[in-house]
Amino acid sequence: MVLSTTVSQRKHIKRKAPRGFLKRVFKRQKPHLRLETSGDLLMHLNCLLFVHRLAEESRTNACENKCGIIKKEHVLAAAKVILKKSRGMMKAKQK
Amino acid sequence: MADSGSPDSEPTTRTLLRRVLDTADPSTPRRPRSARAGAQRALLETPSSRRLSSQTKTTARRRSQRIRSIGKLAHVQASGYLEEQTPRTLLKNILLTAPESSIVMPKSVVKPGPAPQVVQPSSRESSRGSLELQLPELEPPTTLAPGLLAPGRRKQRLRLSVFQEGMDKGLPLSQESRGNADASSLTSSLNLTFATPLQPQSVQRPGLARRPPTRRAVDVGAFLQDLRDTSLALAPPDTVLEDTQPFSQPLVGRSPSVHHSLPCPSHSGAEDAERAVSHRTRSTGPRLQNNSPGKPAQLLAGKAEERTEKSLSMSKVKEAARARGSARAQEPEGHTQVTEAEGSQGAIETKEPEGSSGDCPTSSRRVSPELASSTPEFLQAKRIQGLEPAPPPSTAVLPSEPLEPLSARLPPRARTPGPKACQNPYKTGLSHYAKLFSFYAKMPMEKKALEMVEKCLDKYFQHLCDDLEMFAAHAGRKTVRPEDLELLMRRQGLVTDQVSLHVLVERHLPLEYRQLLIPCAFSGNSVFPAQ
């Protein structure tokens, strides 16, 4: 498995999906449910996309405030938006 | 082949073989009918041919015998191949192919020899086996003649077989009789590759001979000395070193004994020290390895020597304690002092130089941990470690030992790497995604922002699980399937009509996961993953 890909960055990002972690999280949340094998990979994909969107939003907020550093407030504001988006339309509709 | 030279004056291999060939009848014992006539003839010829055969006679006889053998060859080929592997033919081949007065390798020689004569190797070996069977009875060829076997032809063959066996094996003939000097020369010259003993090999090829264990003696002595020193160092004076466990001595008894005896004979034979140093440098490594296996046996050495050595080692300890505070550079000083101390005591033992040299590595090992640590317990512990039966070279022991006390002194260091991983795996997983966040952001972030990200992730996971549960329940299942995930992503607006799930998978996931998620057709009409 690809543990880390050497991007042209200082940091080495782990591309490996924490499958055990995801499975454990799901089990803790919903012990009565089961998760399929490929399900946790898609969960990981979902998380990646969520984080990606969150980061983009945070960066946008930071740039709007003309900060070179992403601050807590930027993240917070971004999270509100993105979480609302990620809840799934069902709940959003219900709201 | 040169037929010159009188065979009697110089009994070379070649001449002897020739004689044998002349005298021996060409057939094997298995073919008695053809052998009889030849045997009688051979009998008559043998005494004369061996002693008085001239070259012309030999050649004539050989020619006649060759013709006979050729005729026999034709006959034999029709009947079987056993006769081809007579000793006679073998020897003839040897003579034919072997150069004059040279070491003949039977395998290389005999094999091309019989080949043109279409001889089976199996028959050769069978004939040899028959010869070998005869051999034990026939060890001395001179003595076997009278009484061993009644039939004359047998006798003749016995002689030949014995002769060949002697040539083959070398040992019996060479050892049998000095009268058979020719045989011995034959054996040594032929140097056939049977299980030859060491003696002819060493004579022929000194390089092949096993080296005498000269070094071993020294090492043993050094090892003895080393043992005594170690036993001194480890064992308290009360303990009787009959126990075979080298390092079972209690450490407690050591510390008092360390202090009370300080006969510092530092002014000892300097020459001993020098010798010790030289010995140490020479034979530290191999000796250490030699020391370990024999140590338990040597532990039962004399105690009196151990006591004196222990006092000596204590003086060493004291000196090492003095040198403790200083840097490692002073270690050679401690070495010299130690060696001097050893040298004084080494006069007691005969194996003193090796002993002191053997002591040097142990003392060096002792000194190094002493330098590092400041407690006698450490010292004893390090001595034990240093004299571990597992033989590490002293150089390897030296660096490892200071590390151990350091690590022992600073245990909290080990805990520092990766605390979160062990204590909070959930946090670890979240931090993983937080790192991804910072990677995607491509901007520097505050630590608090990262913590905020982790909180958001936590919330997100909760929402995720709820949604999945909802979708699964909607589908009437209790297992969350990938379809639920896809539906979720569609709901989230990630997967649209333009952007399919597979596209997202290909974009963001590594290849291995892609293979698992996206069904792909393989050979044999199979699709993986199965749909």
Side-chain angles (χ1 to χ4, degrees):
Chain A
M1 274 303 179
V2 177
L3 284 177
S4 76
T5 57
T6 310
V7 200
S8 61
Q9 282 191 1
R10 297 160 291 165
K11 289 183 187 174
H12 295 283
I13 300 298
K14 277 190 184 179
R15 299 288 183 195
K16 201 175 173 182
R19 299 181 76 167
F21 165 74
L22 291 171
K23 188 113 201 241
R24 199 188 303 130
V25 163
F26 186 76
K27 265 295 177 184
R28 273 198 193 152
Q29 292 272 331
K30 311 288 173 189
H32 54 277
L33 289 180
R34 285 189 288 154
L35 185 61
E36 273 199 27
T37 311
S38 304
D40 59 345
L41 289 177
L42 288 171
M43 260 180 78
H44 177 66
L45 174 65
N46 211 353
C47 297
L48 282 181
L49 292 168
F50 167 75
V51 165
H52 193 71
R53 282 190 290 181
L54 195 63
E56 288 292 330
E57 189 65 28
S58 308
R59 196 155 73 126
T60 310
N61 289 348
C63 288
E64 283 178 1
N65 292 352
K66 290 178 184 140
C67 286
I69 306 172
I70 293 176
K71 290 186 180 171
K72 196 176 173 182
E73 307 83 57
H74 311 142
V75 172
L76 200 58
K80 278 187 184 173
V81 176
I82 303 297
L83 275 172
K84 205 169 181 189
K85 257 186 163 182
S86 304
R87 269 186 201 185
M89 302 295 182
M90 227 180 235
K91 282 202 173 170
K93 278 178 187 171
Q94 285 170 8
K95 277 197 175 176
Chain B
M1 278 201 296
D3 284 351
S4 61
S6 60
D8 298 334
S9 62
E10 278 185 21
T12 63
T13 310
R14 183 167 291 286
T15 55
L16 287 163
L17 276 176
R18 209 172 292 136
R19 277 187 224 144
V20 166
L21 281 174
D22 298 339
T23 57
D25 72 283
S27 62
T28 60
R30 293 188 197 123
R31 305 277 175 181
R33 58 177 192 276
S34 54
R36 278 261 172 214
Q40 285 168 6
R41 210 185 313 121
L43 263 180
L44 290 169
E45 287 170 352
T46 308
S48 58
S49 63
R50 285 216 174 146
R51 309 228 152 75
L52 310 169
S53 67
S54 66
Q55 295 308 315
T56 54
K57 266 200 224 168
T58 310
T59 51
R61 258 190 233 109
R62 185 177 287 142
R63 266 185 240 123
S64 64
Q65 281 171 349
R66 273 188 192 148
I67 291 163
R68 242 188 302 124
S69 64
I70 286 166
K72 281 221 168 97
L73 269 176
H75 171 69
V76 163
Q77 277 175 4
S79 55
Y81 286 124
L82 287 177
E83 285 189 342
E84 294 315 305
Q85 283 300 333
T86 61
R88 167 191 181 67
T89 60
L90 291 166
L91 296 174
K92 200 192 307 173
N93 295 327
I94 290 170
L95 273 181
L96 284 169
T97 57
E100 273 280 9
S101 68
S102 68
I103 295 170
V104 174
M105 300 304 296
K107 284 183 185 175
S108 56
V109 168
V110 174
K111 270 176 189 173
Q117 296 192 4
V118 194
V119 171
Q120 300 289 338
S122 58
S123 57
R124 179 203 325 167
E125 270 148 42
S126 63
S127 70
R128 275 199 183 169
S130 65
L131 294 173
E132 285 162 2
L133 285 172
Q134 294 171 13
L135 177 66
E137 316 163 9
L138 316 172
E139 296 240 340
T142 53
T143 58
L144 66 85
L148 278 174
L149 290 173
R153 61 169 183 86
R154 275 293 191 101
K155 187 162 128 189
Q156 186 58 43
R157 253 176 241 105
L158 286 173
R159 276 193 190 174
L160 176 61
S161 65
V162 166
F163 201 56
Q164 188 191 5
E165 280 307 308
M167 288 189 311
D168 290 352
K169 292 203 172 154
L171 172 62
L173 281 183
S174 61
Q175 286 180 1
E176 284 160 20
S177 56
R178 282 148 306 259
N180 268 351
D182 50 0
S184 60
S185 70
L186 258 178
T187 64
S188 55
S189 60
L190 275 183
N191 193 18
L192 300 184
T193 61
F194 284 161
T196 54
L198 287 175
Q199 177 193 354
Q201 268 189 1
S202 58
V203 169
Q204 290 295 312
R205 295 171 178 173
L208 292 179
R210 282 186 193 159
R211 296 184 180 186
T214 51
R215 266 187 309 173
R216 285 243 170 150
V218 176
D219 289 342
V220 164
F223 163 65
L224 259 178
Q225 178 77 25
D226 200 2
L227 245 188
R228 287 191 203 105
D229 301 327
T230 61
S231 59
L232 270 188
L234 299 173
D238 326 309
T239 319
V240 176
L241 278 185
E242 261 91 35
D243 65 328
T244 54
Q245 296 186 6
F247 308 120
S248 61
Q249 299 80 0
L251 296 176
V252 182
R254 274 291 285 111
S255 40
S257 58
V258 169
H259 303 297
H260 64 69
S261 70
L262 275 187
C264 300
S266 50
H267 61 283
S268 62
E271 67 279 8
D272 296 335
E274 285 156 19
R275 251 183 299 163
V277 170
S278 65
H279 281 282
R280 165 179 45 140
T281 53
R282 175 188 68 194
S283 53
T284 301
R287 196 188 312 108
L288 287 175
Q289 298 183 2
N290 289 332
N291 287 345
S292 50
K295 255 190 193 169
Q298 304 261 356
L299 268 177
L300 309 173
K303 269 192 292 178
E305 290 174 338
E306 289 156 5
R307 295 229 178 113
T308 53
E309 285 178 1
K310 187 189 289 195
S311 64
L312 191 64
S313 61
M314 293 185 210
S315 68
K316 281 181 240 157
V317 167
K318 177 106 181 183
E319 290 164 336
R322 273 185 236 140
R324 205 176 292 156
S326 56
R328 186 70 68 92
Q330 290 193 9
E331 206 176 292
E333 270 184 290
H335 274 299
T336 54
Q337 291 175 357
V338 165
T339 54
E340 282 174 6
E342 295 161 16
S344 68
Q345 187 264 336
I348 298 164
E349 300 148 47
T350 57
K351 297 169 189 172
E352 156 229 342
E354 301 90 2
S356 51
S357 57
D359 206 359
C360 286
T362 60
S363 64
S364 71
R365 276 171 289 169
R366 285 177 215 142
V367 168
S368 61
E370 287 150 23
L371 287 177
S373 67
S374 55
T375 60
E377 288 78 25
F378 265 114
L379 178 137
Q380 292 149 18
K382 292 318 147 198
R383 278 190 193 175
I384 288 172
Q385 284 174 357
L387 305 165
E388 203 68 32
S394 61
T395 55
V397 170
L398 283 171
S400 67
E401 282 183 335
L403 288 176
E404 290 149 12
L406 283 173
S407 63
R409 250 195 271 152
L410 305 169
R413 256 196 211 171
R415 284 188 227 143
T416 49
K420 286 190 183 174
C422 325
Q423 296 162 7
N424 204 343
Y426 183 72
K427 267 245 167 169
T428 312
L430 289 182
S431 63
H432 175 248
Y433 286 110
K435 281 180 198 170
L436 278 170
F437 176 91
S438 62
F439 171 69
Y440 283 132
K442 291 185 176 63
M443 281 174 70
M445 296 178 63
E446 293 177 347
K447 295 274 172 89
K448 291 186 181 176
L450 277 174
E451 291 169 4
M452 191 68 209
V453 166
E454 285 177 13
K455 279 187 198 170
C456 298
L457 275 169
D458 190 25
K459 272 193 195 169
Y460 164 75
F461 278 129
Q462 289 174 9
H463 291 308
L464 180 69
C465 294
D466 293 335
D467 289 343
L468 289 175
E469 182 188 11
M470 217 170 357
F471 294 146
H474 181 75
R477 281 183 267 108
K478 284 194 177 175
T479 309
V480 176
R481 286 175 126 194
E483 297 97 57
D484 303 332
L485 268 290
E486 188 176 354
L487 182 59
L488 173 68
M489 292 173 75
R490 188 169 276 276
R491 283 294 197 97
Q492 289 177 347
L494 294 166
V495 174
T496 64
D497 296 333
Q498 282 76 35
V499 180
S500 74
L501 178 64
H502 290 183
V503 169
L504 289 176
V505 166
E506 285 189 12
R507 267 190 215 163
H508 295 100
L509 291 184
L511 174 67
E512 291 80 8
Y513 297 144
R514 289 205 298 263
Q515 286 172 349
L516 291 177
L517 287 171
I518 300 174
C520 184
F522 289 90
S523 68
N525 198 27
S526 66
V527 176
F528 180 79
Q531 287 198 333

